[in-house]
């Protein structure tokens, strides 16, 4: 088989087809490290992955490193990761192996932000795309949460369990295909660490920019007032002006383990944008034909 030119999604679909055929018990909670070692040995006998191990990585989440001989690769994941984060890290490094090892013969180290999917670096984005498509196949995920659903943290948490990934990984996966306007926000001590909007939310101007420094949580929000009640988790309706300039449903809770608050925001349907009639269509058409 010729794998040249295969992108992240193509690779993930390939392995999902294999897994669907094999249909092992715990189909969606399979051992990613074993998959990486066994399939790379069969497909790339000249330089397979022969080691997947926990290591002290000095702040990195994961790495793909060649052996001295350059005929073997090892995947390392940092200590203390939950099983869900560990699976995503290993899948991410497996993605680097499949997609980038020729370009980076000395290996790749991945930061935590890179493995979370918050970086814009092309290789990191591709490795994450592979990992999330591998661990959370779209056809199955869409059966759990339909593109027009408005899931709460229980629904997203059920997916995190199903695919044995972190809550954030499952939420980001859903945000990438939802047809709803929604935003995921993580915050620490009253400040937003980062936020991610669904595509349709982004297009309608609903996003929070954190690249220019810390952003304070809105004072009227549940998370801003540290109201981590069951109601806040189930969902609180806010009028326009609390979050953005439109009514928003907020779901918030705090994870003691990570000392981080998670907030899911659901907005209403976007108002259909009317287009400005700057020039008659005919003129545009004629100008186009003259080129
Ligand atoms: Zn990486």
């Amino acid at each position: 088989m010729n794998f040249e030119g295969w992108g992240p999604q193509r690779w993930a679909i390939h392995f999902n087809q294999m897994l669907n055929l094999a249909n092992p018990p715990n189909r969606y909670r399979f051992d990613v490290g074993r998959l990486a070692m066994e399939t790379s040995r069969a497909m790339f006998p000249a330089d397979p992955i022969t080691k997947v191990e926990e290591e002290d990585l000095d702040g990195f989440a994961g790495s793909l490193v060649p052996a001295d001989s350059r005929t073997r690769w090892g995947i390392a994941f940092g200590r203390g990761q939950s099983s869900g984060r560990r699976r995503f890290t290993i899948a991410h490094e497996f993605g680097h192996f499949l997609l980038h090892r020729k370009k980076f013969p000395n290996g790749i180290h991945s930061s935590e932000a890179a493995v979370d999917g918050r970086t814009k670096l092309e290789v990191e984005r591709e490795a994450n795309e592979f990992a999330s498509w591998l661990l959370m196949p779209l056809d199955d995920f869409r059966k759990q949460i339909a593109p027009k659903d408005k899931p709460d943290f229980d629904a997203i948490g059920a997916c995190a369990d199903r695919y044995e990934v972190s809550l954030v990984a499952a939420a980001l996966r859903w945000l990438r295909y939802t047809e709803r306007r929604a935003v995921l926000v993580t915050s620490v001590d009253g400040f937003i660490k980062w936020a991610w909007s669904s595509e349709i939310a982004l297009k309608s101007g609903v996003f929070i920019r954190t690249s220019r420094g810390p952003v304070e949580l809105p004072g009227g929000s549940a998370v801003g007032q540290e109201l981590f009640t069951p109601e806040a988790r189930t969902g609180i309706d806010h009028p326009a002006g609390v979050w953005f300039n439109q009514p928003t449903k907020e779901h918030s809770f705090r994870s003691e383990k990570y000392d981080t608050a998670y907030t899911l925001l659901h907005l209403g349907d976007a108002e259909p944008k009317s287009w400005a009639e700057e020039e008659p269509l005919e003129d545009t058409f004629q100008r186009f034909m003259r080129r």
Side-chain angles (χ1 to χ4, degrees), residues 62-63 92-93 96 100 108-111 114-115 123-125 127-128:
S63 66
H92 175 105
E93 299 307 329
H96 280 318
H100 310 129
I108 299 180
H109 294 271
S110 306
S111 70
V115 176
V123 289
E124 299 302 343
R125 204 189 50 68
N128 277 330

Side-chain angles (χ1 to χ4, degrees), residues 36-78:
M37 287 193 282
E38 287 179 3
T39 56
S40 66
R41 199 168 289 155
M43 298 163 98
F44 306 106
D47 63 340
I49 296 166
T50 57
K51 195 170 87 160
V52 177
E53 278 175 8
E54 186 171 52
E55 272 176 40
D56 284 319
L57 289 180
D58 254 349
F60 286 105
S63 66
L64 174 75
V65 180
D68 292 339
S69 66
R70 307 280 150 162
T71 59
R72 301 272 185 278
W73 289 88
I75 287 175
F77 48 91

